[in-house]
Amino acid sequence: DFGIKELAVLSTGEVFAPNQKLKESLGKLARLQRNFAKKVKGSIRRAKAKLKIAKLHFRIARQRQAVLHELSNYLTKTFDLITIEDLNVKGMVKNRRLSRAISDAGFGLLRQFIEYKAKFRNCTVVIANRFFPSSKTCSCCGWKNEDLKLSDRIFICGNCGMIKDRDHNAADNLEK
């Protein structure tokens, strides 16, 4: 199960830290952009400031790729069958409050990495339906909680009484 709070949660219980390379560098990026805005157009110093901004963006992108390569490499080496969600990343980015975190996580790139490495290592990748309610369904009894919001981080089953972290419950459902 992919997410913003944790980059990935596996059905084995393993949790991978979120990929927030852009968030970590926002202060430095803002400082460089303010410095760039003060430079005279067409000057050499403006070109140098622009180059510094480009280098920082490149570094952030490479750090993000490194984290995603490590995760996809671990998953394809460790497991023969990998089930992931078919996320509508383009639609998710339209949410103003979560767009930066979703873009920084790199869900689309992670899926690409998993798919091509799985072919290379003869793993099977199953893509769960986009509308499969993995977070809203109880992994024990199959009861579906329609009222579960994104802010609810703990899943409580109204049928069997199971209490579990929302992402762990979704990972268990994806495994099944």
Side-chain angles (χ1 to χ4, degrees), residues 1-3 16 24 27 31 38 58 60 68 75 88 91-92 98 105 107 112 123 132 148 150 165-166 176:
D1 182 52
F2 298 146
F16 293 91
E24 294 169 4
R31 184 176 44 81
K38 294 176 185 176
F58 181 73
I60 292 167
L68 298 178
L75 292 174
N88 181 13
M92 291 168 67
L98 299 175
F107 297 136
Q112 286 178 353
C123 298
F132 174 65
L148 192 68
L150 189 60
D165 181 66
R166 174 195 180 110
K176 290 178 183 179

Side-chain angles (χ1 to χ4, degrees), residues 19 26 40 73 84 117 133 147:
N19 191 6
L26 278 178
V40 176
N73 191 39
I84 57 175
K117 289 179 184 181
D147 299 329

Side-chain angles (χ1 to χ4, degrees), residues 90-103:
K90 200 173 189 180
M92 291 168 67
V93 170
K94 290 181 182 175
N95 182 343
R96 286 185 349 193
R97 296 174 189 216
L98 299 175
S99 61
R100 182 182 290 154
I102 291 168
S103 297

Side-chain angles (χ1 to χ4, degrees), residues 28 41 50 54 85 89 92 123 127 130 136 144-145 150 153 166 173-174:
K28 185 173 184 180
K41 287 187 180 177
K50 188 175 183 180
E85 301 167 295
V89 179
M92 291 168 67
C123 298
I127 308 297
R130 180 176 295 180
K136 295 183 177 186
K144 191 173 173 185
N145 183 0
L150 189 60
R153 299 310 309 162
R166 174 195 180 110
N173 282 327
L174 289 173

Side-chain angles (χ1 to χ4, degrees), residues 4 7 17-29 56-70 100-106 109:
I4 297 170
L7 178 60
N19 191 6
Q20 297 179 335
K21 300 304 176 191
L22 177 62
K23 185 177 180 181
E24 294 169 4
S25 301
L26 278 178
K28 185 173 184 180
L29 185 62
L56 181 61
H57 276 295
F58 181 73
R59 180 186 162 130
I60 292 167
R62 296 296 284 180
Q63 287 174 333
R64 183 182 301 124
Q65 283 181 346
V67 170
L68 298 178
H69 270 299
E70 287 173 16
R100 182 182 290 154
I102 291 168
S103 297
D104 201 16
L109 197 58

